[in-house]
Amino acid sequence: MMAPARRRASAKGWLSAVSSPKFITFCIAVSMVLVFAGTIAQVSMGTFPAQKRFFNSWWVFAATPWGFRVPVLPGGLTVGLLWLSSLLASLFQRFKYGWKSAGLVLAHVGLILLLLGQFLTQTLARESQMPIQLGHTMAYAESTLDTELAVVEGSDPKFDQVVSIPYSRFSRPGEIKTPLLPFVIDVQRFYRNAQLTMASAAGAATQGVGARIAVQQEPPVSSDDDSNAVTAVVEIKAGGQSLGTWLLSSGLGAPQTVHVDGKDYRLYIRPKRYYFPFTLTLKDFRHDVYPGTDIPKNFSSLVRLDSESGHEHRDALIYMNHPLRYAGLTFYQASFGQNDTLSVLQVVRNPVWITPYLSCAIVILGLAIHFLMSLQAYSRRAA
Amino acid sequence: MSSKKSLDDRLSKRLPVWLAVAAALALLPGLRAPSYRAAVPLADFGRLPALGGGRIKPLDTVARTSLLELSGRQTLAGKDGSRAALEWLAEVSFDAPSADKENVFQIDDPDVLGVLDLRQGRRRLYSFNELKGDLALIQKQADEANQVRGSSRSRYQSAIISLQDKLELYQELENTLQLAGAGNIAFGYQYLEGKLLPALAEHFKHRHTDRTAMSELGQYVEQFQFLAKVAAFFPLPVRVSGQGLHWMSVGEASIDRLRTDSFHPGLIAYASMGDAWRSGDAAAFGKAVEDYRTWLAFHAPGPASWVSDEFVFNSFDPFFKASLLYLAAFLLVFASWLVYPKTLSRCAFALLAVAFVVHTAGLGTRIWLQGRPPVTNLYSSAVFVGWAAVLLGLFLERLTRRGLGTMVAAAIGAMTLVVALHLDNQGDTMEMMRAVLDSNFWLATHVTCITIGYSSTFLAGFLGVLYIAQERLAPQRLAESAATLERMVYGVVCFSTFFSFVGTILGGIWADQSWGRFWGWDPKENGALMIVLWNAAILHMLWGKMIGRRGLMVAVVFGNIVTALSWFGVNMLGIGLHSYGFMDKAFNWLVVFVAAQLLIMAAGLWPDEPDGVRP
């Protein structure tokens, strides 16, 4: 008879503990330490790795002199979860609902939505880049961080057949078999980053350009403006027979060609590509500067959008603070190059982009109501 | 005692008003043109417009920002006292050999001095003549340093690049209004007009070629091409139909004469000014400037009038004057605790009001000149943080009338303006906005809200400092004001929570609009977030009764640290330990500020004497 009541009481106890100001203050304090540490770390680690280590993780680990790593701080995901539980508990437990608390309740509901939105963004959003040359047409964007091993077969004049092998698969030695290809790719050596030089004696591979190139391992880099030359030496086997070894690297400009069953296959290690059901053609790129200076005043790309289904053919002007939103993707003017003949568009897929707008409106409304009511009470007392 | 009190009462009616009027009158002469020591009348020369750094500004601004960039100061120190930047610019433009003797190049870095074989002494400024022999060496060293990417440059590398930039700027300035060291410029134009151009026409029309004239003309064109290439600014407006004004360099305008019927009037004017400067002919100089200004008033009326206003703004220097008035107001509140409380605190409020009017006028002029919302860079953020804090402080003073609002407002006003005055050596404080920032809407909303958040967090923090100082130094005073201070601090914390949050969020929305990421954990975003978090923490600690009155005060003082770090600390991250010059000094000041706040917090947390009463 007593047990359920006690359980209810203890659940209640938990709720009020989690929603207590002490716990909330603790959460805020931990967040501040995390944000501070994560910001400082960006200087040495680069923005993205620091984000991943501090904010997109459950725990932040630090190396010890004894070789193993220990968690030193809860990561962004843990802190977010703490916040979320505390906010939810306070909705159930803490607030005495009524006009007086309406503003605060609204603000906290908005915060819950904001946190959920940020969590979904961190898990669902995908960023890539589309470097597009003046007059060229592109149907895909490239990842800035992720690489793929692509095998392209181009005997059909209408389209290429592309088989993409993800980084996680080709980054460890071993055989890669797939029914899509008439041969087996056996990864013999893999380098996260490498330096390629002309070989004085034998090259790293037996076939292709690799026969003349030596590979030297390099420590992987993580800063924002360096990139790794992801490199692998692979053996191609067809019909139980070795055709030789090839050197593949994102540092090589050209693909390596393998000839199997009368067909040519081009092998690349390249930034991972995301294909779209539409194409963009860069019609014009403008880079205006203030007169007499090289301070940029404006960048804009005029693109033509053609959908694959053929229903949509239109021009769009992408410039600062004015992205193109289309098919769940957003295209931003990010960068440029090659004497203003190359425009780089940042491509973001974020299905929950609307949540911050909504949640912020709710929090702002809530805070405004609450503080205005406080101010009214204050001035009544002061008068 | 009673007679003193009645004297205080009597004085408090009139004296504050008279003081305000006197302060305002004392400021008026600052609106007149300053006097210069040069032999020729310079004020109107400083009012001539030029396009530089993407915007149209008076030569006075060109002079001030250039001298600041070279020497870190706005005046030229000499053996016989200091001279205005404008005089220096005239000398650089018209009499390069003399200007080369002036000590204007600031070199602090011991390694750079070592490379130049100069001994590090008391002197920090060097003349062009001293560096002339080493130009090739400096160029080579700077080229090597430029191979290294910005963030990983050593202190020496940044310093040598900075010196190279200064030398380039200086030589460009020498070759902007005329060829460095040349004389008889006006005669040269007459010679072109009277002899060489007719010879050219002859050549085209009658196939009759005067070879000497052609080769002389070729030399002139070569000279003009050089001037067009190196020009530091563009002083000559031409109306292009359908496009408004096009600003040309002296070289470009001279070459343009080959297409048009006559020389640009500005060319002749600047040539005559140069000749008059060298011969010390005040009348001729004045006439050349005057004639050209008349032409400008007719052909480029807009720029001619607004650069003249900027000239007045420069020489009035409202933020410097306001900072002195804030300081005076602060001292008066302090004095009011000792004698004549009513009179002196009202006098302080009156001075604060005058200072605020001057501050507002300065801010308003900047907004109007720039056509931008108030905050566009670090300098203007300091000006605006102070302004908003003083406005809030004035409001609090009207509510509570205890001198507390006046004191804190005056302190923040003075400190932020001093910070601003030290920030302006980054160059033109009204520089153009880079493309991504070129959005008045977001500058007006996001940046303004964030900056108001800084202001109010500082205001709460300084009220906390005042509380702790009174508690430790004048506990009997605190007894009257403790409850008032607590209410003020609570209100300001709520206010700053709201504005910091709104500002941070608007920043996220801007980021989402411009590069598709609502939140990117960027250092500046994180800084703003820290302020929101800390204010929220204070409110929750109060609501949960985890802290009392004194805990609140210590907490808001910590808010000063959080705000200072996200305002300035974040800007130092990128350049971090390798930074050079200003940011190094700023970093030291930031450390001092943070240490002072920590000390104050410790004083607030120190346990009372056993018999002491905890308010």
Side-chain angles (χ1 to χ4, degrees):
Chain A
M1 277 305 277
M2 287 297 286
R6 203 181 305 144
R7 205 174 302 141
R8 215 178 299 136
S10 86
K12 232 176 164 167
W14 267 104
L15 276 182
S16 59
V18 169
S19 66
S20 72
K22 274 202 181 106
F23 186 77
I24 295 170
T25 311
F26 169 75
C27 287
I28 297 178
V30 171
S31 316
M32 287 183 73
V33 173
L34 181 72
V35 170
F36 186 75
T39 311
I40 297 293
Q42 289 184 6
V43 179
S44 53
M45 294 177 70
T47 317
F48 188 78
Q51 268 181 37
K52 207 169 157 187
R53 178 169 170 219
F54 284 85
F55 305 120
N56 212 353
S57 63
W58 292 101
W59 291 97
V60 181
F61 289 92
T64 59
W66 303 280
F68 56 90
R69 285 146 41 92
V70 288
V72 283
L73 261 179
L77 296 176
T78 310
V79 172
L81 200 67
L82 288 178
W83 274 64
L84 206 57
S85 43
S86 168
L87 283 163
L88 285 170
S90 66
L91 279 189
F92 290 119
Q93 181 72 23
R94 192 58 52 179
F95 289 117
K96 294 174 186 67
Y97 287 89
W99 280 115
K100 270 181 92 173
S101 63
L104 281 184
V105 171
L106 261 184
H108 286 78
V109 169
L111 275 183
I112 292 175
L113 195 60
L114 186 66
L115 278 173
L116 282 176
Q118 181 60 21
F119 176 74
L120 287 175
T121 302
Q122 285 191 351
T123 42
L124 297 180
R126 195 179 66 201
E127 289 185 19
S128 50
Q129 284 196 333
M130 186 190 249
I132 178 167
Q133 255 160 352
L134 201 61
H136 284 224
T137 301
M138 277 181 91
Y140 62 87
E142 295 175 340
S143 166
T144 49
L145 301 156
D146 210 5
T147 45
E148 64 180 7
L149 197 170
V151 183
V152 182
E153 196 274 307
S155 61
D156 191 320
K158 283 204 280 285
F159 54 86
D160 289 349
Q161 188 163 344
V162 179
V163 176
S164 166
I165 299 157
Y167 184 83
S168 58
R169 187 67 194 81
F170 75 85
S171 58
R172 51 196 157 91
E175 291 193 345
I176 302 167
K177 286 181 204 158
T178 159
L180 298 169
L181 293 173
F183 52 85
V184 173
I185 301 172
D186 184 358
V187 180
Q188 298 197 323
R189 268 170 312 197
F190 176 80
Y191 308 87
R192 286 166 70 193
N193 188 17
Q195 191 172 7
L196 308 181
T197 47
M198 292 313 281
S200 47
T206 60
Q207 309 289 321
V209 74
R212 281 170 285 125
I213 288 179
V215 179
Q216 201 181 354
Q217 177 130 27
E218 288 272 310
V221 292
S222 62
S223 97
D224 299 338
D225 23 40
D226 289 319
S227 60
N228 289 313
V230 178
T231 303
V233 176
V234 299
E235 183 175 9
I236 305 293
K237 298 173 188 162
Q241 221 180 349
S242 171
L243 301 179
T245 57
W246 275 263
L247 174 73
L248 305 176
S249 171
S250 59
L252 290 175
Q256 298 300 300
T257 309
V258 176
H259 191 76
V260 180
D261 294 348
K263 282 180 179 169
D264 277 338
Y265 293 85
R266 300 196 301 273
L267 271 62
Y268 304 80
I269 290 180
R270 65 185 185 191
K272 188 175 164 64
R273 289 185 179 178
Y274 305 105
Y275 287 89
F276 307 135
F278 56 90
T279 61
L280 292 185
T281 309
L282 182 63
K283 293 174 72 176
D284 190 19
F285 175 72
R286 287 181 63 98
H287 168 197
D288 303 330
V289 294
Y290 288 102
T293 67
D294 48 14
I295 306 174
K297 185 173 195 276
N298 180 44
F299 303 105
S300 63
S301 293
L302 180 66
V303 295
R304 177 164 183 81
L305 190 157
D306 294 291
S307 72
E308 214 160 69
S309 55
H311 294 309
E312 219 163 337
H313 304 281
R314 63 183 165 100
D315 285 354
L317 185 65
I318 301 170
Y319 59 106
M320 289 293 150
N321 302 324
H322 292 265
L324 162 69
R325 292 191 198 269
Y326 182 73
L329 297 160
T330 317
F331 295 82
Y332 303 85
Q333 183 68 52
S335 181
F336 63 100
Q338 297 178 4
N339 271 331
D340 295 352
T341 60
L342 176 83
S343 173
V344 182
L345 302 177
Q346 178 91 354
V347 187
V348 178
R349 194 200 66 177
N350 181 9
V352 290
W353 67 274
I354 196 78
T355 51
Y357 290 80
L358 266 178
S359 52
C360 294
I362 297 173
V363 179
I364 290 172
L365 184 69
L367 286 180
I369 292 175
H370 183 74
F371 290 146
L372 284 177
M373 277 163 56
S374 307
L375 183 69
Q376 207 185 4
Y378 174 84
S379 51
R380 215 180 295 136
R381 221 176 325 149
Chain B
M1 191 68 197
S2 74
S3 75
K4 190 176 174 187
K5 193 153 195 186
S6 67
L7 179 65
D8 188 17
D9 267 340
R10 263 184 291 147
L11 283 177
S12 73
K13 293 251 155 46
R14 294 272 170 78
L15 196 60
V17 180
W18 285 117
L19 185 68
V21 172
L25 285 177
L27 291 173
L28 280 182
L31 289 170
R32 279 193 327 222
S35 55
Y36 297 96
R37 291 176 40 203
V40 301
L42 268 183
D44 284 346
F45 173 70
R47 285 191 164 94
L48 294 175
L51 175 78
R55 78 178 181 96
I56 295 149
K57 45 188 158 190
L59 289 185
D60 184 54
T61 302
V62 173
R64 285 167 190 263
T65 52
S66 308
L67 189 56
L68 261 175
E69 268 181 74
L70 299 185
S71 70
R73 25 188 308 173
Q74 279 204 11
T75 51
L76 180 67
K79 282 187 207 79
D80 42 350
S82 68
R83 283 185 291 157
L86 188 60
E87 291 184 61
W88 168 77
L89 180 71
E91 188 171 69
V92 169
S93 302
F94 300 136
D95 188 7
S98 306
D100 288 349
K101 291 183 220 144
E102 310 281 5
N103 292 330
V104 288
F105 293 92
Q106 183 179 8
I107 309 175
D108 290 321
D109 189 88
D111 296 341
V112 171
L113 289 171
V115 166
L116 301 175
D117 204 10
L118 293 168
R119 212 173 284 275
Q120 193 173 23
R122 274 235 204 96
R123 198 153 67 100
R124 295 162 62 213
L125 297 175
Y126 298 86
S127 72
F128 185 72
N129 278 342
E130 283 169 287
L131 303 173
K132 210 159 54 177
D134 293 322
L135 288 183
L137 173 72
I138 296 168
Q139 170 91 56
K140 187 167 158 280
Q141 292 284 324
D143 283 349
E144 276 172 21
N146 260 321
Q147 306 290 318
V148 183
R149 207 183 292 132
S151 53
S152 32
R153 278 181 201 144
S154 73
R155 187 192 157 101
Y156 165 73
Q157 287 167 331
S158 309
I160 195 87
I161 290 172
S162 149
L163 179 60
Q164 172 66 18
D165 290 347
K166 286 176 183 175
L167 286 166
E168 271 173 28
L169 171 64
Y170 181 78
Q171 292 174 79
E172 285 169 10
L173 285 170
E174 282 193 329
N175 289 293
T176 297
L177 289 182
Q178 64 159 70
L179 194 68
N184 274 340
I185 312 285
F187 176 75
Y189 283 115
Q190 280 166 21
Y191 185 63
L192 271 170
E193 188 75 73
K195 174 105 193 282
L196 300 185
L197 291 173
L200 185 67
E202 194 73 359
H203 167 75
F204 282 123
K205 237 187 241 156
H206 305 295
R207 301 265 152 225
H208 168 80
T209 310
D210 176 347
R211 291 203 179 277
T212 5
M214 285 303 101
S215 99
E216 276 180 325
L217 185 65
Q219 281 169 13
Y220 271 103
V221 170
E222 217 167 276
Q223 229 180 64
F224 295 145
Q225 278 167 343
F226 170 72
L227 289 180
K229 206 176 100 200
V230 302
F233 53 89
F234 305 85
L236 306 169
V238 185
R239 188 160 298 283
V240 179
S241 58
Q243 288 175 33
L245 288 178
H246 170 68
W247 293 78
M248 294 199 291
S249 65
V250 166
E252 190 190 347
S254 305
I255 297 171
D256 213 43
R257 171 64 185 87
L258 298 177
R259 294 193 296 108
T260 53
D261 314 332
S262 62
F263 279 111
H264 191 286
L267 274 181
I268 308 301
Y270 279 114
S272 322
M273 282 178 233
D275 291 340
W277 175 273
R278 283 184 295 274
S279 61
D281 187 343
F285 191 92
K287 185 171 180 309
V289 175
E290 202 42 57
D291 288 352
Y292 183 41
R293 267 169 58 82
T294 314
W295 183 86
L296 282 171
F298 192 70
H299 289 90
S305 109
W306 84 64
V307 297
S308 189
D309 296 327
E310 187 174 333
F311 176 82
V312 175
F313 173 80
N314 282 347
S315 57
F316 185 67
D317 206 357
F319 301 131
F320 178 68
K321 293 199 163 70
S323 68
L324 291 182
L325 287 168
Y326 283 134
L327 191 66
F330 176 80
L331 293 175
L332 276 179
V333 182
F334 204 66
S336 78
W337 293 354
L338 306 172
V339 285
Y340 301 119
K342 215 169 174 181
T343 309
L344 289 184
S345 66
R346 284 191 183 186
C347 283
F349 186 79
L351 276 192
L352 183 74
V354 175
F356 183 70
V357 169
V358 175
H359 197 161
T360 310
L363 194 67
T365 312
R366 275 183 61 89
I367 294 173
W368 173 69
L369 284 172
Q370 217 180 350
R372 292 275 179 200
V375 184
T376 53
N377 52 18
L378 204 57
Y379 168 84
S380 51
S381 76
V383 171
F384 188 75
V385 162
W387 183 83
V390 174
L391 182 62
L392 279 174
L394 283 168
F395 179 71
L396 286 181
E397 184 62 31
R398 293 301 297 169
L399 277 182
T400 57
R401 293 173 189 272
R402 280 172 185 273
L404 302 168
T406 309
M407 185 166 209
V408 173
I412 300 182
M415 282 174 77
T416 51
L417 287 184
V418 167
V419 168
L421 292 174
H422 281 96
L423 280 171
D424 68 1
N425 61 357
Q426 308 282 296
D428 188 359
T429 62
M430 290 191 256
E431 70 211 328
M432 303 313 284
M433 308 299 295
R434 293 187 167 268
V436 66
L437 300 175
D438 186 13
S439 158
N440 276 352
F441 175 73
W442 292 113
L443 283 173
T445 52
H446 156 66
V447 179
T448 309
C449 279
I450 283 280
T451 320
I452 292 176
Y454 292 164
S455 302
S456 46
T457 315
F458 274 135
L459 188 67
F462 277 72
L463 287 167
V465 172
L466 182 60
Y467 179 96
I468 293 171
Q470 284 194 346
E471 182 178 44
R472 292 300 160 195
L473 305 174
Q476 69 287 358
R477 283 208 67 83
L478 185 64
E480 315 165 16
S481 54
T484 316
L485 272 173
E486 185 183 9
R487 274 208 304 278
M488 283 160 86
V489 167
Y490 176 72
V492 177
V493 168
C494 289
F495 183 88
S496 78
T497 309
F498 182 75
F499 275 92
S500 315
F501 182 81
V502 173
T504 309
I505 292 311
L506 287 171
I509 291 177
W510 187 5
D512 187 58
Q513 297 281 319
S514 53
W515 55 90
R517 211 172 306 156
F518 176 77
W519 193 258
W521 301 108
D522 165 88
K524 202 82 197 173
E525 294 172 338
N526 291 351
L529 179 64
M530 298 274 277
I531 298 180
V532 181
L533 286 176
W534 183 242
N535 279 312
I538 294 176
L539 290 178
H540 284 91
M541 288 192 285
L542 270 183
W543 293 334
K545 303 212 168 21
M546 292 160 65
I547 50 173
R549 188 178 279 166
R550 202 200 296 194
L552 171 65
M553 300 303 165
V554 173
V556 292
V557 175
F558 185 69
N560 281 343
I561 299 181
V562 177
T563 314
L565 286 183
S566 61
W567 186 15
F568 281 106
V570 166
N571 291 41
M572 293 169 193
L573 269 186
I575 36 184
L577 299 168
H578 305 299
S579 72
Y580 173 74
F582 164 74
M583 274 301 170
D584 262 359
K585 273 178 253 158
F587 182 75
N588 295 339
W589 281 109
L590 187 66
V591 170
V592 169
F593 180 79
V594 169
Q597 305 306 306
L598 287 174
L599 275 180
I600 293 166
M601 287 169 67
L605 290 171
W606 202 261
D608 293 297
E609 303 285 315
D611 56 339
V613 189
R614 212 183 149 128

